[in-house]
Amino acid sequence: MSNAVIIKDAVKKYGDFVALKGVSLDIKEGEFFTLLGPSGCGKTTLLRMIAGFNSIEGGEFYFGDRLINTVPAHKRDIGMVFQNYAIFPHLTVEENVAYGLKARKVPKAEIEPRVREALELVQIAHLAKRKPNELSGGQQQRVALARAFVIEPSVLLMDEPLSNLDAKLRVQMRTVIKKLQRKLGITTIYVTHDQEEALAISDRIAVMRDGVIMQCGTPTEIYAKPENPFVASFIGVSNFLDCNVEADGIVDVQGEMRIQVPVSRNYVGPARLSARPEQLFFAESGMSGEVQFSTFLGDFIEYEVKLDGGQSLIVNEYTKDTTDVHEPGEKVHLSFDPSRISVYEAESEEVITC
Amino acid sequence: MLKSKNTMPFYMDPWFWVKLMVFVIFALFLVWPFSSIIINAFKSNKVDGFTLNNFDKFFNKKYYYGALWNSVAVSVVPTIVAVILGVPMAYLMTRYNVWGKKLWHILAILSLMSPPFLGAYAWIMLFGRAGSVTTFLAKYGITIGTIYGFGGISTVLALKLYPYIYMYTSGAMESIDSSLEECAENLGSDRLRRFVTVTMPVVTPSITAGALVVFMSALADFGTPMLLGGQDFRTLPVLIYNEYLSETGGNGNLASAISIIIVIITLVMLLVQKTWVSRRNYVMSALRPPKEIEVHGFKRFLVTLPVFLISFVSFLPQIVVCASSFQHTNYSSFTGGFTFENYQNLGSRLWSSLANTFTYSLTAMVFIVIIGILMSYAIVRRKGKTGGLLDMLLMAPYVIPGSVLGLCYIVTFNVKPLILTGTATIIIISYIIRKLPYTVRSASAFLMQMDPSVEEASINLGVPPMKTFWKVTARLMLPGVFSGAILSWVTCINELSCSIMLSSGRNNTLTIEAYTNIVRNSVGSGAALSAILTVTSAVILIIALRATKGKISV
């Protein structure tokens, strides 16, 4: 049986409120797949539907070719890591990890070595006899991980597992999780609201908003080619400029610049252009404006530039590329590479560049 | 598209059956009996069909309606006195380094959990007509006012019940974020102004909740007015008991009418308090609970003195009764000296009543714990459409006084199909219905703090929901269940007002036996039995307090 997860038109309702409006996903076997979005977008709701803790108001959920809609949560053979770890406080670390194996009636002689191996994989074998209240947050996280994968589940679900850790530990643990997932090859669905974490850890990401998937793709696709202004602004930072598309990808940027962009379809009319701070650069000609503010951040300098039209843009300049700092009040010109920006229809917000 | 069936049928959900079981129990042993006395109240031996005769009689004879005013008086006044004692005590105990803090706290719990007639009895021993203080002062020609009637009853009830106010208020005071008071100070309020404008409004909802409990307990109290009321000062619970006794063979029509009146009073008070609080509910979670103020020397003595006086005076009855139980008696009064004869004379009555007390209370506890665990889970985690109703049923035992429930059972279970009057079973059932709320409330409060994902983790790891419940949830709920169950148990042991109406004599518990001896003026046996009862309750509570590190809240 394949361990792919296929979701067709998932619908979730709470009374009159529709939390998921027909979500479809095709998650491949062994893939590290992330559901990313702001709070309230439905990502945790969807994860809990997969786990069997939320009722399903519509759609079909498959593990491989097995329909699991009616399979109760305890028979779905899923490993899950909860946001607050959900370690059994009355059991020791090894008893916690052995819990799922005992429920599966794994022979006693087999449990011990498997628990040991799992604890070694997450590097807490020396804590086996401890009670959860004697562990730090990071250590509890490792117990939760070991407990979830030791049962060799067909799918591993993680619900914001790093959100309760401090910044440094979060970066450290996400590497642990990623390496572990690669090693074990378990199909993993990961929920987070942290875009940086999602980019760092995932094979593919689905960006969600208001119960709808806004874009699904690899981290590079999502970062470089956001399909709508929401994704462009949610992932990283984007500057938006009103513009006008004339014919054949000729874009007029507020009368200051005329550029040619590669387009996937024909569109003429008002549009919005998005450019990342690092895609903008100072040039001899282009959009004219004045430096308002500069922040030195070590590897780059962040500028706030006010265009003559009144709009403010964020521009990043890497310190390895330049030595001089533009002072506030300095008149500058900004330009960008037309092939690396995105242009969206003003009304429908659909992308027209490719 | 395939129409998938995603929700399981209701009868597959074990919690449906749990709720159904709870509803059946409450319907059978609360709703049905109470409905029968409502019907009963509108019937009379003299007329066919429904009549208002009983209410007519009640409101036209001073003997009856006088008792209504008496009841209101000995409920309102003790409530006010309890607030006057309890609030300052809570303030001092939470804000200052009072000497012997733990001891005063334990004494407060012990006096609250003491047998219901103990205070009255001890006060009679001291200040009664033949009381030791009275006779001592009489030698010098000094006479003191009578303790029988309104003043005595109010004093005894206030001293017994003030801990409710103390505990509710100190709970609220501990959860005020200290930055709130610091902010008031920072804005230029002095300490008094700060207390009146910030601290008091925030704790007032808790004070009124405590006051409601004091009011309902005082109104329902049976032992105290029975002993201190004498012939002239009757309260409603006393009337119910007397009417029922004199109407034996009758249907208890008038007693039923009185019961309805008393329940209406409690319901009105409950609604008034709830509507008042619902408009002023300040939810707080203290990030930084207020710091204890360190005072030294004389100042520390000053803050300790009021706390000491309050808790000592309210605990005094237990000392007096225990000490008296070792005195010689000439049957109806104590004559001094030291002896064990009061205990030796108890004989078989002691053993049978002790056996009854423990058999009944422990049997009830088995049911209370099991139903309590299931019910609190259903209320907290499976609220659904009926959760609110479950919650309401839990309030019923607070609203319906023991003597009323006793009457309900006598009226209802005296006839087919369920004849239970005079059996141990009915006493045990009354314990379960009346004392279950302590366990459910404590367990639910504990469960609300518990992270639900722990249960989900277990289900996710392959343990079915019901097995997860017993293996993980119930196991983790135990501390909350335990601290509630201890209160349920101790109050079962000390239960008087309901069981005295249900007991047929051979079912007498220790509490009934002690009370009966006191009423018969057999002072030696009364004191000895009361002492045993008091010490038993105290030992259970102290062990429990140690086991839970003081985390028992009433």
Side-chain angles (χ1 to χ4, degrees):
Chain A
M1 192 188 82
S2 144
N3 289 331
V5 176
I6 297 147
I7 300 165
K8 289 181 184 161
D9 293 316
V11 175
K12 175 75 203 168
K13 289 177 190 160
Y14 294 105
D16 290 336
F17 174 70
V18 185
L20 283 185
K21 300 162 185 164
V23 168
S24 297
L25 285 174
D26 199 336
I27 299 161
K28 297 183 193 70
E29 178 163 8
E31 191 172 28
F32 199 118
F33 193 90
T34 297
L35 301 171
L36 171 68
S39 60
C41 72
K43 55 192 190 300
T44 295
T45 302
L46 181 60
L47 192 80
R48 291 174 56 84
M49 286 164 91
I50 300 170
F53 296 130
N54 277 353
S55 62
I56 301 167
E57 269 71 51
E60 289 155 44
F61 288 68
Y62 294 93
F63 287 177
D65 44 17
R66 186 165 72 120
L67 181 70
I68 53 138
N69 283 36
T70 53
V71 178
H74 65 278
K75 289 186 183 154
R76 287 196 184 185
D77 194 28
I78 296 174
M80 184 154 176
V81 179
F82 293 82
Q83 183 168 11
N84 32 23
Y85 323 135
I87 306 289
F88 304 121
H90 61 301
L91 302 179
T92 62
V93 167
E94 57 182 4
E95 286 166 344
N96 260 285
V97 178
Y99 191 92
L101 296 174
K102 280 184 189 155
R104 282 170 171 68
K105 308 255 184 312
V106 173
K108 266 217 172 92
E110 206 182 309
I111 290 179
E112 223 256 70
R114 276 176 72 175
V115 168
R116 177 139 293 274
E117 192 190 350
L119 290 176
E120 271 161 13
L121 265 176
V122 292
Q123 299 150 14
I124 49 164
H126 58 293
L127 303 174
K129 306 282 180 203
R130 295 266 186 98
K131 277 283 180 74
N133 57 10
E134 301 166 300
L135 302 180
S136 70
Q139 289 166 338
Q140 290 192 34
Q141 179 60 266
R142 288 169 194 258
V143 178
L145 263 175
R147 187 179 67 179
F149 72 70
V150 74
I151 58 174
E152 293 170 3
S154 46
V155 181
L156 189 60
L157 306 180
M158 299 197 195
D159 185 8
E160 308 221 18
L162 304 181
S163 61
N164 288 347
L165 300 178
D166 64 56
K168 205 167 174 187
L169 205 53
R170 201 151 39 200
V171 174
Q172 194 187 329
M173 279 307 294
R174 82 182 180 209
T175 316
V176 171
I177 291 174
K178 174 110 190 190
K179 282 184 179 162
L180 197 65
Q181 194 267 345
R182 281 287 143 76
K183 188 162 181 176
L184 302 170
I186 304 177
T187 312
T188 300
I189 307 176
Y190 188 96
V191 161
T192 182
H193 63 266
D194 181 337
Q195 44 104 4
E196 186 193 313
E197 192 175 298
L199 293 175
I201 210 167
S202 321
D203 292 327
R204 273 196 308 151
I205 300 170
V207 184
M208 295 179 70
R209 181 178 71 170
D210 297 339
V212 174
I213 290 179
M214 301 300 287
Q215 185 172 2
C216 187
T218 64
T220 26
E221 281 166 1
I222 283 186
Y223 188 81
K225 292 286 167 196
E227 281 173 8
N228 45 60
F230 172 76
V231 174
S233 60
F234 190 74
I235 311 287
V237 179
S238 289
N239 292 298
F240 291 100
L241 283 165
D242 289 334
C243 59
N244 206 26
V245 183
E246 288 160 2
D248 306 325
I250 308 283
V251 179
D252 173 68
V253 187
Q254 301 176 353
E256 299 237 0
M257 281 175 84
R258 274 173 76 83
I259 49 168
Q260 167 84 50
V261 297
V263 289
S264 55
R265 61 202 169 84
N266 244 332
Y267 169 80
V268 173
R272 289 176 82 196
L273 175 160
S274 89
R276 303 267 181 207
E278 71 271 20
Q279 287 162 352
L280 292 170
F281 52 84
F282 297 104
E284 294 302 312
S285 63
M287 301 173 290
S288 55
E290 187 185 302
V291 175
Q292 297 286 308
F293 200 76
S294 72
T295 311
F296 181 75
L297 290 163
D299 52 347
F300 66 93
I301 305 167
E302 185 185 281
Y303 293 101
E304 191 184 320
V305 177
K306 192 174 182 184
L307 296 184
D308 293 347
Q311 200 179 351
S312 286
L313 301 181
I314 304 290
V315 182
N316 290 349
E317 194 171 46
Y318 284 91
T319 41
K320 71 176 166 59
D321 301 333
T322 180
T323 46
D324 48 326
V325 177
H326 301 273
E327 296 299 328
E330 195 180 325
K331 298 276 181 200
V332 290
H333 289 275
L334 291 176
S335 188
F336 49 81
D337 177 354
S339 66
R340 300 190 60 189
I341 54 144
S342 303
V343 178
Y344 311 99
E345 287 183 28
E347 190 87 346
S348 69
E349 302 202 323
E350 277 168 38
V351 70
I352 52 176
T353 44
C354 62
Chain B
M1 198 182 89
L2 179 128
K3 174 87 183 77
S4 50
K5 207 169 175 328
N6 293 317
T7 43
M8 61 178 169
F10 68 90
Y11 54 81
M12 286 289 286
D13 179 8
W15 292 104
F16 165 78
W17 296 103
V18 167
K19 285 184 182 176
L20 188 69
M21 174 195 79
V22 173
F23 281 124
V24 167
I25 291 173
F26 273 91
L28 201 55
F29 296 112
L30 190 79
V31 180
W32 179 36
F34 192 67
S35 318
S36 8
I37 70 157
I38 295 180
I39 296 170
N40 218 23
F42 292 98
K43 280 188 173 170
S44 166
N45 296 341
K46 292 162 196 146
V47 249
D48 291 329
F50 291 104
T51 168
L52 285 173
N53 271 2
N54 302 311
F55 292 95
D56 250 9
K57 194 171 166 190
F58 182 90
F59 286 108
N60 280 318
K61 283 201 178 166
K62 185 153 194 296
Y63 177 86
Y64 296 115
Y65 71 76
L68 174 60
W69 296 123
N70 291 344
S71 261
V72 172
V74 296
S75 309
V76 171
V77 173
T79 306
I80 295 169
V81 178
V83 170
I84 295 170
L85 297 176
V87 174
M89 175 157 165
Y91 186 77
L92 293 174
M93 288 280 277
T94 49
R95 296 301 160 85
Y96 290 96
N97 57 338
V98 169
W99 272 310
K101 216 174 230 191
K102 273 189 188 152
L103 179 64
W104 313 134
H105 184 74
I106 291 173
L107 292 189
I109 296 180
L110 289 184
S111 86
L112 194 59
M113 292 287 128
S114 65
F117 52 81
L118 196 84
Y121 183 40
W123 278 65
I124 291 172
M125 283 182 184
L126 294 176
F127 303 106
R129 285 179 201 104
S132 46
V133 177
T134 318
T135 44
F136 177 77
L137 291 175
K139 280 185 205 160
Y140 303 96
I142 305 167
T143 53
I144 45 171
T146 177
I147 54 150
Y148 298 94
F150 167 73
I153 298 173
S154 298
T155 312
V156 167
L157 288 176
L159 284 174
K160 178 184 159 71
L161 300 173
Y162 88 90
Y164 278 125
I165 307 276
Y166 155 64
M167 287 188 194
Y168 278 65
T169 313
S170 54
M173 281 183 174
E174 272 163 8
S175 64
I176 295 180
D177 191 336
S178 59
S179 55
L180 200 67
E181 291 187 354
E182 283 163 8
C183 177
E185 194 169 21
N186 180 257
L187 291 168
S189 295
D190 57 41
R191 192 174 286 188
L192 178 71
R193 199 182 152 78
R194 190 175 84 206
F195 182 76
V196 174
T197 56
V198 176
T199 315
M200 276 308 280
V202 173
V203 297
T204 311
S206 300
I207 297 177
T208 61
L212 178 71
V213 178
V214 173
F215 179 89
M216 296 202 284
S217 312
L219 185 65
D221 195 89
F222 166 77
T224 311
M226 266 309 254
L227 292 181
L228 284 175
Q231 285 303 306
D232 315 316
F233 195 91
R234 287 181 195 80
T235 61
L236 296 179
V238 173
L239 269 193
I240 294 172
Y241 182 69
N242 287 348
E243 280 307 313
Y244 161 69
L245 282 187
S246 65
E247 276 184 278
T248 324
N251 303 316
N253 297 124
L254 188 58
S256 300
I258 300 170
S259 300
I260 306 290
I261 291 166
I262 199 167
V263 170
I264 288 173
I265 298 174
T266 34
L267 268 182
V268 168
M269 290 308 286
L270 181 74
L271 291 176
V272 168
Q273 196 266 349
K274 289 265 179 257
T275 27
W276 190 86
V277 166
S278 67
R279 280 184 284 131
R280 296 176 180 71
N281 208 1
Y282 312 101
V283 178
M284 285 232 197
S285 53
L287 298 170
R288 209 153 47 89
K291 262 206 310 275
E292 208 177 75
I293 302 168
E294 295 268 341
V295 286
H296 302 282
F298 186 64
K299 267 194 166 175
R300 193 169 182 195
F301 171 76
L302 274 187
V303 297
T304 306
L305 188 65
V307 176
F308 162 75
L309 284 177
I310 296 170
S311 33
F312 178 75
V313 173
S314 69
F315 185 67
L316 194 62
Q318 317 205 20
I319 302 172
V320 170
V321 169
C322 290
S324 310
S325 68
F326 294 105
Q327 280 188 32
H328 288 288
T329 65
N330 61 1
Y331 190 73
S332 63
S333 61
F334 292 101
T335 54
F338 181 88
T339 176
F340 285 109
E341 67 188 20
N342 294 327
Y343 289 92
Q344 284 153 356
N345 291 343
L346 289 175
S348 66
R349 275 177 306 167
L350 171 64
W351 301 115
S352 71
S353 61
L354 208 55
N356 283 345
T357 289
F358 278 94
T359 325
Y360 302 167
S361 64
L362 287 173
T363 312
M365 285 320 294
V366 172
F367 289 96
I368 286 176
V369 166
I370 295 171
I371 301 172
I373 290 176
L374 292 170
M375 199 168 162
S376 48
Y377 188 84
I379 287 173
V380 177
R381 294 271 203 264
R382 305 290 157 116
K383 202 150 182 82
K385 285 179 187 123
T386 51
L389 189 59
L390 276 181
D391 229 5
M392 213 180 76
L393 284 177
L394 267 187
M395 277 313 283
Y398 288 103
V399 175
I400 300 179
S403 40
V404 174
L405 192 72
L407 182 76
C408 289
Y409 283 3
I410 291 165
V411 168
T412 314
F413 300 116
N414 211 2
V415 287
K416 283 184 180 178
L418 217 53
I419 299 179
L420 294 170
T421 316
T423 62
T425 313
I426 194 71
I427 294 178
I428 293 167
I429 290 170
S430 77
Y431 284 174
I432 298 171
I433 295 290
R434 295 199 64 215
K435 308 304 181 187
L436 182 65
Y438 289 104
T439 303
V440 177
R441 294 213 176 274
S442 169
S444 334
F446 195 84
L447 192 59
M448 272 180 225
Q449 316 260 318
M450 237 169 79
D451 180 3
S453 58
V454 173
E455 293 157 47
E456 290 176 350
S458 166
I459 294 170
N460 174 259
L461 288 167
V463 178
M466 216 48 204
K467 204 172 159 197
T468 289
F469 175 76
W470 291 113
K471 211 172 156 178
V472 178
T473 322
R475 163 73 187 70
L476 293 177
M477 277 166 72
L478 278 185
V481 173
F482 176 77
S483 59
I486 286 296
L487 292 182
S488 293
W489 190 29
V490 174
T491 49
C492 278
I493 290 176
N494 287 311
E495 212 291 323
L496 176 69
S497 57
C498 188
S499 47
I500 197 168
M501 296 186 70
L502 297 172
S503 172
S504 63
R506 74 191 154 82
N507 297 330
N508 277 2
T509 61
L510 198 52
T511 312
I512 300 175
E513 198 64 45
Y515 174 77
T516 322
N517 275 284
I518 293 168
V519 171
R520 281 196 211 122
N521 218 8
S522 162
V523 292
S525 312
L529 289 163
S530 305
I532 294 170
L533 191 56
T534 306
V535 171
T536 309
S537 310
V539 167
I540 294 171
L541 281 170
I542 288 167
I543 292 174
L545 279 166
R546 293 207 69 143
T548 58
K549 298 190 185 74
K551 281 200 190 102
I552 286 188
S553 58
V554 178

